[in-house]
Amino acid sequence: VLTCVAGPHTYPLTAVWGAITNTGPTGRQAALTFSIDMGSAPGRADIAGSAADPLAGITLQITFDGTKLAYQSRSLLLPDEFDLAAAGTTGAGSGTAITTMAIGSSSAQTKTGAFSIVRITFNIASGASGSVTPTAAVPEALATSFLLNVTSSVVANPIPTLVVPP
């Protein structure tokens, strides 16, 4: 007789680069879209019982080469559920720049399943070329309208490398 133990619930966070465009103040921009998969029902019993786990808010921290990229703006991709976003960057122009973004809802809305959260647009520095591989961390993630901490369950997958042509 074998007793199977269910693995821990995880919520994968992924990112995808869009095409480099000839826009923005430096002449080139690239957008990075973040998505999360909160899974299907049943989720964690301590979060939403037999229902799917709903995301209520998340904080993202993106670390990148600030000599090649500069945070420009963010676009929330679920304005019906998430309408609050604050962003700030430290180390702009240095080899290690960090943009931290907090996303939530002014009306305590939540979202279940797999969905895109935010698109972050970066300006590419004039004359910059080569590879840029940002990293993502999740300092905080909250589920349900009761704001239960599920930070340790979010798994930030590696961000693909952006190749900036000369």
Side-chain angles (χ1 to χ4, degrees):
V1 175
L2 293 174
T3 302
C4 296
V5 177
H9 268 67
T10 59
Y11 312 112
L13 178 75
T14 57
V16 176
W17 285 105
I20 295 173
T21 63
N22 292 323
T23 56
T26 60
R28 295 186 294 173
Q29 290 182 327
L32 186 59
T33 301
F34 283 91
S35 301
I36 193 166
D37 187 348
M38 294 300 290
S40 56
R44 281 179 35 183
D46 62 332
I47 300 295
S50 62
D53 295 341
L55 182 70
I58 191 166
T59 300
L60 303 174
Q61 191 173 58
I62 302 93
T63 304
F64 55 95
D65 183 345
T67 65
K68 294 182 179 180
L69 298 178
Y71 169 82
Q72 171 65 31
S73 63
R74 52 88 182 128
S75 300
L76 291 175
L77 302 176
L78 295 165
D80 291 339
E81 288 89 0
F82 302 113
D83 60 348
L84 298 173
T89 300
T90 59
S94 72
T96 305
I98 300 170
T99 293
T100 302
M101 181 170 304
I103 301 168
S105 170
S106 63
S107 58
Q109 294 293 309
T110 61
K111 180 77 174 166
T112 60
F115 51 91
S116 296
I117 305 168
V118 65
R119 182 171 297 119
I120 302 172
T121 300
F122 292 94
N123 292 323
I124 299 171
S126 297
S129 64
S131 299
V132 182
T133 308
T135 59
V138 178
E140 185 173 48
L142 303 171
T144 79
S145 57
F146 299 111
L147 303 179
L148 300 173
N149 189 334
V150 294
T151 304
S152 63
S153 296
V154 178
V155 177
N157 292 318
I159 296 174
T161 298
L162 174 68
V163 178
V164 180

